[in-house]
Amino acid sequence: MTKRKAAQPSRNPFKWLWRHSLKIVLVGLVCLTAYCLYLDAQIKDKFSGSKWQVPAQIYARPMLLQVGQELAMDEVVEELEWLAYRRVPSVKGSGQFNRQGNQLIFHRRAFEFAGGFEDEARVTLTFANGELAGIQLDGGRAQNSLRLEPWLVTRFANNSQEDRMLVELADVPPELVQMLLLVEDRDFYQHFGVAPLAILRALVANVSAGRAVQGGSTLTQQLVKNFFLSQEKSLSRKLNEALMSLLIELRYSKDEILEAYLNEVFLGQNGANAVHGFGLASYFYFDRPLDELSIPEMAMLVGIIKGPSFFNPRRHEERVLERRNLVLRLYFDDQQATAQQYAAWLKTPLGLAQGSKLAKGKHPAFMDQVRRELNVALPDPSLHQAGIKIFTTLDPLAQRKAEQSVSQSLDGLEKRRKISELEAAMVVSDIATGEIRALVGSRNTDYQGFNRALDARRQIGSIIKPAVYLTALEQPAYYNLATPLKDEPIKLKSSQGQLWSPQNADRQFRGEVSLLTALSHSLNVPTVSLGMEVGLSEIAYTLKRLGVEEDVSLYPALTLGAAAFTPLEVNQMYQTLANEGLYIPLHTIDTVTDSDGRLIWQQKLTGERRADRKAVYLLNYALNKVTRDGTAKVLKQSFPSLHLAGKTGTTDDYRDAWYAGFDRNNLVTIWLGKDNNEATGLAGATGALPLYIDYLKRQHPKSLVRPFPQGLGIAHFDSVTGQHLQPGCPQSVSVPAVLDALAAAQHCEGKREPKQAPKKPSFWERLFGD
């Protein structure tokens, strides 16, 4: 007989839980505390340090105003309008300007320049006789110079594809903060991160309005969701959001949280990059800093927080207006404005900028060069994402006009000449500094591919001739502008041993011509003869001195440009010539500072004497003649009161057309041709030169002025033999020359002519004569 087991007492789980509840609560608190410590560590790690990777900011050059400079009021107005200054009847605040007779009054914005911070200031410019006659600041303080803040060109966005411009709470207009709190979180300064009552109030308001007018999440919760968490909709994420909101509120002040929100909130999409924060959104939509926005503009930014895609003001203007007006209504209901103000605001259009100037991909050819220089200056790529400011040499107005000239002029040329597939490149540089002001690498100026200005090596043709003539003029005992050169048929052996017989463009021979005539009319045969006299190796050395680093082959055709250079290299060569023989490397970056304005890199360049100043002056005199009565004489017709200098260039079979020209301040180099190297039928004068003329008409060129170097003077020469003559001889020419290198002046042949009234001096004699 088996024994029966004793009955086991039944287990009651509730009794067990009750008996162990204290232990469970303690374990739960330990786990919750540990989890909160984990979350707190995450918050502290990200929130206390550098919260965001801010992309490098690329600035254009600041416009420098100096008393006494040749400057028209329209030039300054054009710059102010590009910087989004607004014309107003009376200047009362930052970013405004007004014209009054010969005075221009504007309120310059504050800016952290590379050399230090400069505060905002009310400025009065006075113009007289084509010059800037005076600069006065607040209270009538006069000064000699002033800088306008540079234009923010673009930003090199980081790998996160997020872009923002950080602002401090103190710099944010209080009206914007008030609207933000009214719409998104009325009790922000009262709650502790989570506000159940706000959720209930938002629900009631939304039901009453029949649409969503208020959100239930606090600003702190929104910040946590955007800053730390994903957009997943789950209970666990909502719990994490609530816990982290409480922890942030415990660790940081309300102002710190609000400032972080103002910089984190998503407000739009700029291509592949998300626009975060009100600082960047202000520029993205209105091209102005946040503190210059009007109340309706601020209301629009606050309104689109709810859904930047749904409320995209560039695509859905009507729904954005409705949303903006709702924000304005809440602002009015909160007794922040009068009825008259509110009524006026409702009638205000959105006032968006015509296409964001912060759009990605602007000026790709110029930015290509900036990136190349930046990689040399700052090889560590991590520095490029640390909010550095790169101050470039870009002139945004010159760049825009260069792009317009290239694209529109090529369209016109193709239509008139029945040509297709033309391409072009243009480089504009400051003569005195070597700073590149504009750079175009394609007729499609937004194209980010092959950069012809930097990478297209093309035969340069007659554009090389100044190097040949400079080599000769640096030997003043043997050559001057009146030296006769042979213009007769010649035969030379090419590099393949074949005979080469160069021809002038018109297939004519003139027997003998002066050196000045040969260059100004771009005659080939005299140039080849001269080049062979001075030596091909000397010409190659001259090219090196002028800044061309590419090696050239030493055969006779070199004298007519049988060498391949990029437009940038040609511009470097002519920069040295235009700068009176002083070589300065061309560059696009001037200074780099860190996010706090501390200098971390600066361009340090000084001019290096590469050519004799007197010889360069004589060469530039001849290049001026090119534009007066030579191959570019059409410039005189287009700009009769201007003195310019330059040189055309054409290669065999009209494959490449070149022009390099300069006024007092800027040098422009233009190449035109086809990528497949087919003939275009266009010479330098008919292809590249029209682009230069079009560009100058869009600009404000200044007449070329160069002082006589010491030792140079006006001399008189027999127009046939080139013999140095005393003044007053018939059939003589008067040109600048190195006086102490000349042989003694000869008397006129035969009986001296009766003394006549002195000849009216030429422009150059009046300007530079003793």
Side-chain angles (χ1 to χ4, degrees):
M1 187 173 175
T2 58
K3 289 186 176 181
R4 295 180 62 185
K5 291 184 179 179
Q8 296 291 328
S10 61
R11 298 192 178 215
N12 188 330
F14 295 105
K15 288 183 178 179
W16 184 89
L17 286 172
W18 176 254
R19 212 168 37 244
H20 297 283
S21 59
L22 183 59
K23 294 178 182 178
I24 293 171
V25 169
L26 289 174
V27 171
L29 287 174
V30 170
C31 291
L32 180 61
T33 302
Y35 188 61
C36 287
L37 289 173
Y38 165 73
L39 292 178
D40 185 63
Q42 283 189 315
I43 291 170
K44 183 180 178 182
D45 179 63
K46 189 170 183 181
F47 204 86
S48 297
S50 296
K51 302 180 185 66
W52 302 278
Q53 275 193 332
V54 180
Q57 301 175 61
I58 317 299
Y59 287 92
R61 58 92 186 98
M63 186 178 194
L64 178 63
L65 305 172
Q66 293 179 303
V67 173
Q69 76 183 104
E70 184 180 345
L71 186 69
M73 187 187 298
D74 287 344
E75 295 179 68
V76 184
V77 169
E78 190 176 20
E79 182 82 10
L80 292 175
E81 290 177 339
W82 184 256
L83 292 171
Y85 279 65
R86 287 148 294 153
R87 189 191 299 250
V88 295
S90 178
V91 175
K92 296 179 180 178
S94 176
Q96 299 177 348
F97 78 94
N98 174 258
R99 302 176 69 153
Q100 296 180 6
N102 68 333
Q103 290 189 328
L104 178 63
I105 303 167
F106 62 92
H107 197 114
R108 189 193 67 173
R109 299 178 180 126
F111 190 78
E112 183 78 41
F113 289 91
F117 178 79
E118 293 187 18
D119 205 353
E120 62 182 81
R122 181 184 173 92
V123 181
T124 301
L125 304 181
T126 304
F127 296 84
N129 302 319
E131 292 184 349
L132 178 56
I135 302 174
Q136 286 188 325
L137 299 188
D138 306 315
R141 290 180 292 123
Q143 60 185 69
N144 291 325
S145 63
L146 179 83
R147 288 182 296 180
L148 297 180
E149 78 276 8
W151 175 57
L152 177 60
V153 183
T154 189
R155 301 156 68 79
F156 290 165
N158 52 42
N159 297 329
S160 68
Q161 294 187 326
E162 290 187 2
D163 196 6
R164 56 177 48 79
M165 185 182 296
L166 301 182
V167 296
E168 295 181 0
L169 183 58
D171 298 326
V172 177
E175 297 88 348
L176 188 147
V177 173
Q178 182 68 20
M179 280 187 275
L180 175 65
L181 297 182
L182 284 172
V183 175
E184 298 294 331
D185 192 352
R186 287 173 177 262
D187 299 324
F188 174 73
Y189 280 98
Q190 283 74 47
H191 64 64
F192 295 98
V194 180
L197 289 178
I199 298 174
L200 181 61
R201 183 172 59 245
L203 179 62
V204 172
N206 293 341
V207 170
S208 300
R211 61 188 187 280
V213 295
Q214 291 185 24
S217 296
T218 67
L219 286 186
T220 312
Q221 287 177 280
Q222 293 181 44
L223 177 63
V224 167
K225 180 174 63 177
N226 294 330
F227 202 51
F228 296 100
L229 304 175
S230 69
Q231 297 299 314
E232 175 193 6
K233 293 184 177 180
S234 66
L235 180 60
S236 61
R237 190 195 66 75
K238 291 297 291 184
L239 289 173
N240 277 334
E241 179 185 300
L243 282 174
M244 295 181 83
S245 297
L246 290 169
L247 290 170
I248 285 179
E249 292 274 354
L250 288 171
R251 181 174 283 279
Y252 302 103
S253 71
K254 287 288 187 179
D255 285 353
E256 288 178 296
I257 296 169
L258 181 56
E259 183 174 287
Y261 180 90
L262 291 167
N263 285 305
E264 173 60 26
V265 62
F266 172 61
L267 288 168
Q269 195 73 26
N270 181 16
N273 294 324
V275 176
H276 285 264
F278 284 92
L280 185 62
S282 178
Y283 279 96
F284 181 65
Y285 291 113
F286 301 109
D287 281 333
R288 297 200 307 281
L290 197 57
D291 62 357
E292 292 182 15
L293 297 188
S294 65
I295 295 294
E297 289 167 344
M298 295 179 200
M300 192 208 84
L301 293 182
V302 171
I304 66 176
I305 292 175
K306 183 174 178 60
S309 297
F310 185 78
F311 293 108
N312 184 331
R314 291 195 170 96
R315 294 183 179 177
H316 310 294
E317 182 178 351
E318 289 188 8
R319 70 172 64 151
V320 174
L321 273 171
E322 183 181 358
R323 177 69 180 170
R324 182 205 69 179
N325 291 345
L326 174 62
V327 176
L328 290 172
R329 176 72 190 188
L330 293 173
Y331 191 67
F332 170 65
D333 289 344
D334 197 53
Q335 298 182 349
Q336 302 294 326
T338 65
Q340 291 80 7
Q341 288 175 319
Y342 174 60
W345 292 339
L346 293 180
K347 298 176 183 177
T348 305
L350 291 180
L352 298 175
Q354 295 299 312
S356 173
K357 293 179 184 176
L358 284 177
K360 284 196 67 181
K362 291 197 311 290
H363 318 316
F366 189 94
M367 291 305 148
D368 187 3
Q369 180 65 13
V370 170
R371 286 187 174 90
R372 297 184 192 194
E373 293 181 25
L374 185 62
N375 289 333
V376 174
L378 300 177
D380 183 358
S382 66
L383 292 175
H384 305 176
Q385 305 297 338
I388 61 174
K389 293 181 179 179
I390 303 169
F391 294 92
T392 73
T393 63
L394 176 73
D395 180 336
L397 298 174
Q399 178 70 36
R400 182 183 61 167
K401 293 169 183 178
E403 292 173 351
Q404 291 170 343
S405 293
V406 168
S407 59
Q408 295 176 17
S409 295
L410 289 191
D411 289 343
L413 275 172
E414 287 184 339
K415 187 176 181 180
R416 290 193 303 272
R417 297 277 185 154
K418 306 263 190 290
I419 315 171
S420 61
E421 299 181 348
L422 285 178
E423 269 297 350
M426 181 185 292
V427 182
V428 182
S429 60
D430 185 282
I431 294 169
T433 64
E435 296 176 346
I436 298 175
R437 297 300 184 208
L439 200 149
V440 181
S442 170
R443 68 182 298 171
N444 179 1
T445 55
D446 293 329
Y447 179 61
Q448 301 188 40
F450 184 59
N451 191 337
R452 293 162 187 81
L454 305 182
D455 300 321
R457 295 196 170 276
R458 304 292 294 230
Q459 295 277 311
I460 63 172
S462 297
I463 211 88
I464 202 174
K465 288 178 180 176
V468 177
Y469 286 85
L470 177 63
T471 306
L473 291 170
E474 287 186 312
Q475 306 173 50
Y478 301 98
Y479 300 98
N480 57 61
L481 294 175
T483 300
L485 302 178
K486 289 185 178 180
D487 186 13
E488 299 171 346
I490 55 173
K491 292 184 179 181
L492 300 166
K493 281 190 177 182
S494 68
S495 57
Q496 290 81 28
Q498 299 174 338
L499 289 179
W500 177 55
S501 300
Q503 298 285 327
N504 294 318
D506 60 4
R507 302 288 175 175
Q508 301 295 318
F509 296 98
R510 295 158 180 78
E512 275 190 343
V513 294
S514 70
L515 186 149
L516 177 60
T517 299
L519 178 55
S520 62
H521 291 269
S522 198
L523 300 177
N524 290 336
V525 176
T527 303
V528 174
S529 298
L530 179 63
M532 299 309 293
E533 286 182 21
V534 299
L536 297 176
S537 60
E538 290 299 314
I539 295 171
Y541 178 57
T542 297
L543 290 170
K544 288 282 187 185
R545 288 186 289 131
L546 294 179
V548 177
E549 298 180 356
E550 192 71 13
D551 290 330
V552 295
S553 300
L554 303 182
Y555 47 85
L558 172 65
T559 59
L560 299 184
F565 298 158
T566 67
L568 186 69
E569 288 174 328
V570 172
N571 194 271
Q572 180 70 80
M573 167 184 166
Y574 274 80
Q575 182 274 332
T576 309
L577 296 175
N579 199 27
E580 302 181 87
L582 287 176
Y583 164 81
I584 299 178
L586 297 176
H587 56 281
T588 59
I589 298 180
D590 180 65
T591 309
V592 182
T593 65
D594 66 13
S595 57
D596 295 320
R598 292 186 294 264
L599 183 68
I600 57 177
W601 187 88
Q602 187 170 28
Q603 190 77 253
K604 294 182 179 179
L605 299 172
T606 56
E608 178 186 345
R609 173 63 58 192
R610 292 286 188 89
D612 180 74
R613 187 182 175 199
K614 295 188 289 293
V616 173
Y617 181 94
L618 298 177
L619 179 72
N620 288 340
Y621 177 90
L623 295 181
N624 170 258
K625 286 290 187 181
V626 171
T627 70
R628 305 301 288 178
D629 52 32
T631 56
K633 62 185 177 182
V634 66
L635 277 168
K636 183 180 179 181
Q637 301 169 14
S638 300
F639 307 97
S641 62
L642 279 181
H643 276 270
L644 304 165
K647 184 70 186 74
T648 55
T650 312
T651 61
D652 286 346
D653 299 324
Y654 298 97
R655 291 188 174 93
D656 304 275
W658 292 84
Y659 187 76
F662 53 96
D663 66 355
R664 188 190 314 168
N665 300 320
N666 296 308
L667 163 68
V668 181
T669 299
I670 298 169
W671 166 82
L672 183 147
K674 291 189 177 185
D675 286 339
N676 61 11
N677 208 29
E678 285 184 356
T680 66
L682 297 171
T686 56
L689 184 56
L691 270 69
Y692 180 66
I693 293 173
D694 182 85
Y695 174 74
L696 284 192
K697 286 181 177 178
R698 299 172 188 269
Q699 285 287 71
H700 304 271
K702 305 294 188 290
S703 200
L704 188 63
V705 175
R706 291 286 188 271
F708 251 16
Q710 188 174 3
L712 213 62
I714 299 296
H716 313 278
F717 300 91
D718 187 287
S719 59
V720 177
T721 65
Q723 187 179 37
H724 183 206
L725 299 176
Q726 290 187 350
C729 293
Q731 297 183 343
S732 65
V733 294
S734 302
V735 291
V738 181
L739 298 180
D740 59 5
L742 298 175
Q746 301 297 309
H747 292 288
C748 305
E749 292 183 358
K751 185 177 180 181
R752 181 176 292 277
E753 296 290 327
K755 190 171 182 178
Q756 300 177 356
K759 177 185 174 184
K760 182 179 179 182
S762 68
F763 168 82
W764 289 85
E765 290 173 303
R766 297 196 310 274
L767 195 58
F768 305 128
D770 295 332

